Each structure stands twice: as C-alpha cells, then as structure tokens.
Amino acid sequence: MSLVSAPFLAFILLVTLIYYVIPGKVRHIWLLIVSIAFACFGGFYTIFFVALSAVTTYIGGKFAGAGRKPLARNISCIATVVFNLALLCLVKFYGVMDVIAEDLNSFFGMNEFMLYAVPIGMSFYTLQMTGYVLDCRWERISPEKSFIRYLLFATYFPYLTSGPMNTYADLSARLRSVSEVSFSITRLKEGAIRIAWGFLKKLVIAERAATVVNSVYGDHNTYTGVYVLLGVICFAIQLYADFSGCMDVVLGVSHLLGIDLPENFNSPYLARSIREYWQRWHSTLGSWLRDYLFYPLLKTSLFIKIGDKARKAFGKKKGKKVPVYLAMLVLWFAVGYWHGGVWKYIIGSGLLHCFYIVTGMMAEPLFEKIRKPLKADKAYFQVFRVLRTFILVLLGFVFFRSSNVPDAMDMFLAVGRSGGAAFDIQGIINMGMGLPDLIVLISGTALLAAVDIYKFRPDDNEEPKSVLALIDRGGVIAAWAVFVLLVIIVLVFGKYGLGYDSGAFIYARI
Amino acid sequence: MNKQEVFDKLNEVFRDVFDDEDITVTENTTASDIEDWDSLEHINLIVAVERSFGIKFTMGETTGLKNVGEMADKILEHLG
C-alpha cells in the first residue's frame, strides 16, 4: 500500500477515528494491531522479516543491557547487530531470497510455490532496531521489558516504509504517552495540511519532473547538451519533492495521532557547504551513522593509536585530522552502500561527498586566507556558496539516478555531445510534457522553493520558521481554506487516476 | 579530586585541544560557546579528557552530555 494512495487515506481515517474513540490505555495495542496489519499489506515476507528483526533485537538488547557479564553483553550485542545487518545486505542487496525462492520452485516443480519480493522499509527499520541494541550495550537506555511495547517501537507504521529513523529513547517516550493524547481540531488541521502538502509534492511536482528525468536518462543520444542539464536538475527536484513529500505524509499522519517524529529535511538545497547539506538532507540517517558508526569508530583504540602516530608525523594540527579522514571514508562508504549496495550509490551518495568534505577540510587554511579579499561575509558570496553546493550535489545525483557508473559517465559526456534533438519547446513537449504540464511543474517548483526559503534559518540547529504558524495568522478559516486549496490542486493537477500508476516513493525502494 | 580541581584540569584540556589559551569553561559551557567545538572535534576532546583523567566514558556519555557541568559530574563519578 503506497503512502500516496486512496486506500492509505481510508486506512488513516479508520485508524485515527478508532484511536480517539477507544480508551487511552489500550491505544498502544490498537497502534500495534494496525502497524502489523500495515506490514501485512507489504506481503507475507515483509511481516516475516520485520518480525525476525524485532524478535532478535529484542532478545539481543535484553542480554546486551547493563547488569550482565561484560563478555555476554558484547557477544549478544555483536551477534545481533551482525545478524541483522547481514540479513539486510543478503536480502536487499544480494537477492539471496530470490535464489532460494527459485530453488524451491524448481524443487517442487511449481512456478509459484514461493514468490519473493524485498520486504518494504528494510533499510530503515534494520537501522532503527540495531540502534536499539547498541543503545542497550552503551547504556544509553535500559532494555525494554515489555515485548509488546518493543514491537510497537519496531513496527510503528508511519515510519516503517521510509523512516524517519528514531532512537528508542525518543520514540518509546512518545508511544508511552499515547494514553494521554486527546483529540484536538488544531492537530487535525495541522496534520491534514501537512499530508495534503506531501501529496502535492509527490503527485503534482515529483511525478511531472519524473517525465523529463525518465526521457533524458533513458536516451543519452537524443537528449544531449542542455537537455542533460535539464534532466539532472529535474531529478534533484523529483527526488527532493518525492522523499520530502513522503516525509510530510509520514509526519502528518503521526501528528494526527499526537506522536511527533523527527524532521528529515530542513531546506537542504539552501545549504552553503556539503557538510551543512547533510545536516539538512535526510538528517536522521546522518545522525544515526554519526552516533552508531562514526563516533564509536573514532573511539576505538586503533583510531586513537592512528591519531597518536599521525600527530607525531604531521604535527598536532594536521595529525589529529588523520583519524577523522579515515573514519569519514568508512562513514561515507556506509552511507553510499546503505542506499543500495552498488557502486553508483557508493560513489554518488558516498565517496564523492567524502571527497568534497575531506578536500574542503584540507584546503581550509587556504580558504581562510582568501575569505577576506573576497569579502566572504557579503550576501553575494553566500549565494555563490549555495549554488556551488547545489552543483556539487547534482554531480552526485547523476550517479544516483543513472543505471550504473558507466551510464553516469555517459551522462556527463552527453553534455558536450552534439547531434541530439534541438532544444526548444517542441523538444520538451516530445518528452511527454505538454505546455500546461511545464507550467504546472515550474509553478510547483517555485512554490516549493518559496516555502523552503521562508523556512530557512542560517543556523541549521535552529528550529526552521513554521509555515503552519504563518498560515494560522490568517485565522482558522484561512487555514482550512489552504487545506481545501491544496486538495483541489492535487485533484486537478496531480498525476493519478485510472490508468495512471504513480511510481512508488524512491526511498521506499531503497 | 573536588569539582574545582576537575574544572581546572578541564580548562587545561580544552585550551590544548582547541588551541586557545583564553578558554575558561564553566558548568553551563556548551559546544555552541566554543567556536571550534563541532561534531568532528568532539571526539578529540572526549579522548583528551579521558586521557587526562585516566577514565573511559561510555558511548552514551560520549554523545549524551549536555554541558561541561555534566561532563565534570560524570568525571567525578568515574573517579569514584
């Protein structure tokens, strides 16, 4: 069941209605039932693998917690984490279950004895659950006693397909307080507006941008020169509208239930450096990897030793950066690998960004010197930094969207290739984008950009400016009018309906 | 070791790690008060503090300390 679909809306309506009718003390049971039902919609294998991870991490966390023998704690923690990560890699990246299904089918002589597809959300829930085990081992939390409560943390349906990833401390505290949540019109209004905005981003913007993207990436010979640039920019629009739209639906739905999940996006394309970009783009993945991989790695005796040796060899200032660079290499390899286990992701979402950040850090003394003569504190320089960062991000996206690395290289070459279709309005219309579509795409993107510019605060730790608060200034009627307007825009301009199958969320396939 | 002595020693560590002789930390000092104290320098600081006091922070403490006051309390706890 896609998060952007009529059945999902009906599901949410039913879940929310019953949630507020039943007594507060059984609400968590209701959430557990609907979460399991939601996972079942993803197919038998989804519920099987979610349950497998939930049971192993629950038991693993119990034995990794404080008060047991150190050796037992370590064994339990390592075994559980390795098992779950290996399961993710084998099932998701190496298609092991496909092979098993095929073998079983041929063994039983039946074509459909076992049909296999990758369980939904595996990349997300695996990290969230292994984070729980590590938290137990590192005594950030005490292991959960109630399996029911743990299972709800593990399967809570809004996050299950695409995140955001939660820490146990945060989400379990919110899930514990569901009994005290009372129905509020304000929350209904806020949730509804956010869900409608998510639908708009996905159906009006992302699905239209996809038309251009699919044409350009599908045919590098016809689409050359400016078309390639258009395709690359459209993919950045598509991916952002798609993934952040999905998050709007997820956070909006959870908000309806009185459970606020962490934000994943904070005006990412306005970041002034690649480091800042990763604090604004998919930030729950970034914090997960920082807390569970990057920091622990730097604290291992091996990395401390490397730091000592490097300080002796290169001096204090440069030397202390060496273990950081090495840990970054591991971190960024992991970020890229997590996206799909193939090189186009490892390069495009991983090592390329590692290269940007590490060379940036190495060149810092040089930047320091040229900042003053360039008048770097002036507005024009900040705009330059935003554009430069966006272009660097686009280069990574070319790998991300291409079928593989050679294909990405061919995309880069196609910029300079001649002999393709002439770049004019007819050419764009030939991609399947009529003039009205083009106008809707441009207006939608402009609206998205305006919202992001309004929300933007230079300090990425600061709470972004709230668009909902802005809408509220107009009063209750104006707020509901905005909701109705969003719904109308989605109904009129959204790409959906009979015969049209809106593509699955990009990150739901990751 | 009392709290004042912990803070004296912490001042030395902070000055050394951030290369700034003017740093004086208090109970309420946080990462936002010291310019170079970002997520990358954080681990260098933690490791330097551990060495200086001969203790080991847990991973939970490494990422969960709110301010220098809490860091000092944890140090005293570890020193027993």
Side-chain angles (χ1 to χ4, degrees):
Chain A
M1 180 161 52
S2 164
L3 298 189
V4 171
S5 65
F8 183 69
L9 284 181
F11 175 75
I12 291 309
L13 208 64
L14 183 77
V15 168
T16 313
L17 204 69
I18 296 181
Y19 180 81
Y20 284 110
V21 170
I22 56 177
K25 60 180 178 194
V26 293
R27 273 196 193 134
H28 66 285
I29 303 287
W30 171 241
L31 284 182
L32 183 60
I33 291 169
V34 295
S35 294
I36 291 173
F38 181 78
C40 287
F41 286 124
F44 158 75
Y45 37 86
T46 295
I47 190 67
F48 171 77
F49 280 105
V50 171
L52 184 62
S53 285
V55 170
T56 52
T57 50
Y58 174 73
I59 297 171
K62 209 175 193 58
F63 289 97
R68 295 178 190 267
K69 285 196 180 118
L71 183 67
R73 291 178 63 188
N74 283 339
I75 291 175
S76 173
C77 175
I78 293 170
T80 316
V81 171
V82 169
F83 172 76
N84 278 281
L85 293 182
L87 197 65
L88 171 68
C89 295
L90 289 174
V91 169
K92 187 107 197 190
F93 304 150
Y94 299 110
V96 164
M97 292 306 290
D98 256 349
V99 179
I100 293 176
E102 223 166 85
D103 282 352
L104 282 176
N105 287 343
S106 69
F107 181 78
F108 288 105
M110 286 183 279
N111 282 334
E112 296 188 353
F113 175 73
M114 185 172 166
L115 285 176
Y116 184 74
V118 173
I120 56 165
M122 195 175 194
S123 305
F124 296 91
Y125 73 69
T126 302
L127 290 197
Q128 179 165 314
M129 289 191 223
T130 47
Y132 163 80
V133 179
L134 291 166
D135 279 346
C136 290
R137 172 63 191 82
W138 291 331
E139 296 176 29
R140 285 195 185 116
I141 53 168
S142 334
E144 172 62 66
K145 291 196 180 78
S146 152
F147 180 65
I148 299 285
R149 293 229 175 247
Y150 181 72
L151 197 58
L152 178 55
F153 159 79
T155 61
Y156 180 56
F157 75 92
Y159 105 92
L160 197 63
T161 61
S162 312
M165 269 162 294
N166 302 274
T167 62
Y168 188 74
D170 283 349
L171 184 54
S172 72
R174 292 202 167 92
L175 291 172
R176 267 175 202 283
S177 60
V178 291
S179 56
E180 287 134 38
V181 175
S182 52
F183 179 76
S184 109
I185 288 283
T186 314
R187 199 180 298 122
L188 177 70
K189 175 190 72 192
E190 290 168 350
I193 291 177
R194 185 123 198 217
I195 294 170
W197 176 230
F199 268 63
L200 189 153
K201 280 184 184 170
K202 169 71 176 163
L203 295 178
V204 178
I205 305 174
E207 290 295 300
R208 264 194 189 77
T211 312
V212 178
V213 174
N214 294 342
S215 302
V216 174
Y217 277 87
D219 185 353
H220 307 174
N221 286 319
T222 308
Y223 295 109
T224 56
V226 187
Y227 278 114
V228 177
L229 302 179
L230 185 72
V232 170
I233 291 172
C234 278
F235 181 64
I237 297 168
Q238 184 199 351
L239 187 64
Y240 178 47
D242 186 281
F243 194 11
S244 74
C246 173
M247 284 303 110
D248 287 323
V249 175
V250 167
L251 271 76
V253 164
S254 203
H255 187 70
L256 286 180
L257 304 170
I259 301 163
D260 285 331
L261 298 177
E263 294 285 343
N264 240 346
F265 294 96
N266 179 7
S267 308
Y269 293 160
L270 296 174
R272 287 146 298 170
S273 69
I274 292 291
R275 262 179 83 180
E276 187 190 347
Y277 168 76
W278 282 99
Q279 269 143 19
R280 294 177 179 275
W281 173 279
H282 204 183
S283 45
T284 60
L285 175 69
S287 12
W288 195 97
L289 288 162
R290 184 194 63 213
D291 289 350
Y292 298 105
L293 176 67
F294 187 65
Y295 279 168
L297 203 57
L298 281 173
K299 273 205 80 187
T300 56
S301 48
L302 174 69
F303 273 73
I304 293 175
K305 254 186 219 155
I306 292 173
D308 289 342
K309 289 223 163 109
R311 272 192 195 90
K312 271 185 204 143
F314 307 111
K316 190 179 147 196
K317 245 192 169 159
K318 281 187 188 148
K320 72 176 177 185
K321 297 239 170 79
V322 172
V324 173
Y325 296 152
L326 286 175
M328 283 223 167
L329 202 62
V330 179
L331 170 82
W332 288 105
F333 188 88
V335 174
Y337 189 81
W338 175 89
H339 277 84
V342 288
W343 280 104
K344 64 167 190 155
Y345 293 122
I346 296 172
I347 293 173
S349 293
L351 299 181
L352 186 65
H353 285 265
C354 181
F355 171 75
Y356 293 154
I357 293 176
V358 170
T359 47
M361 284 171 72
M362 284 176 170
E364 185 54 32
L366 179 72
F367 292 154
E368 197 78 42
K369 277 187 201 139
I370 59 172
R371 256 182 217 131
K372 227 179 185 169
L374 281 176
K375 298 202 172 91
D377 47 348
K378 289 267 176 356
Y380 89 92
F381 196 77
Q382 301 305 317
V383 174
F384 159 75
R385 292 178 72 198
V386 170
L387 286 176
R388 177 209 54 191
T389 306
F390 184 59
I391 290 169
L392 293 178
V393 168
L394 287 181
L395 295 180
F397 281 161
V398 173
F399 289 96
F400 190 115
R401 176 57 181 80
S402 297
S403 318
N404 46 44
V405 178
D407 197 40
M409 291 305 173
D410 200 43
M411 266 295 275
F412 289 122
L413 293 176
V415 177
R417 200 175 291 151
S418 58
F423 186 73
D424 52 22
I425 204 76
Q426 191 54 44
I428 294 174
I429 290 170
N430 287 347
M431 289 173 158
M433 287 276 284
L435 194 59
D437 274 328
L438 197 61
I439 295 170
V440 172
L441 175 60
I442 293 170
S443 325
T445 307
L447 181 65
L448 182 58
V451 167
D452 267 23
I453 290 170
Y454 178 78
K455 279 163 61 183
F456 179 78
R457 301 243 190 181
D459 182 354
D460 54 61
N461 288 319
E462 230 180 310
E463 186 86 1
K465 257 197 232 166
S466 161
V467 180
L468 279 171
L470 178 74
I471 294 171
D472 260 346
R473 265 193 245 161
V476 179
I477 295 175
W480 282 108
V482 167
F483 169 70
V484 172
L485 185 66
L486 290 174
V487 172
I488 292 173
I489 294 175
V490 171
L491 289 176
V492 176
F493 299 113
K495 299 194 89 173
Y496 65 94
L498 284 177
Y500 185 83
D501 184 20
S502 82
F505 279 116
I506 295 171
Y507 266 76
R509 296 192 296 250
I510 271 178
Chain B
M1 198 179 261
N2 63 30
K3 207 156 185 183
Q4 190 50 49
E5 288 165 333
V6 170
F7 269 98
D8 289 343
K9 214 166 176 181
L10 277 177
N11 274 328
E12 279 173 38
V13 176
F14 272 74
R15 284 169 193 166
D16 183 48
V17 169
F18 297 115
D19 242 340
D20 181 353
E21 286 305 313
D22 299 332
I23 293 178
T24 306
V25 291
T26 67
E27 287 270 350
N28 299 322
T29 306
T30 64
S32 54
D33 299 318
I34 295 174
E35 205 195 329
D36 290 339
W37 188 355
D38 58 15
S39 58
L40 299 181
E41 276 299 338
H42 182 68
I43 290 291
N44 279 330
L45 175 73
I46 290 287
V47 171
V49 171
E50 285 180 344
R51 277 199 176 150
S52 161
F53 288 90
I55 56 163
K56 271 252 171 258
F57 289 116
T58 64
M59 267 323 289
E61 290 161 353
T62 300
T63 52
L65 297 171
K66 278 196 197 71
N67 50 32
V68 178
E70 233 181 77
M71 183 187 270
D73 291 339
K74 284 287 167 203
I75 291 168
L76 285 168
E77 230 173 77
H78 279 287
L79 290 171

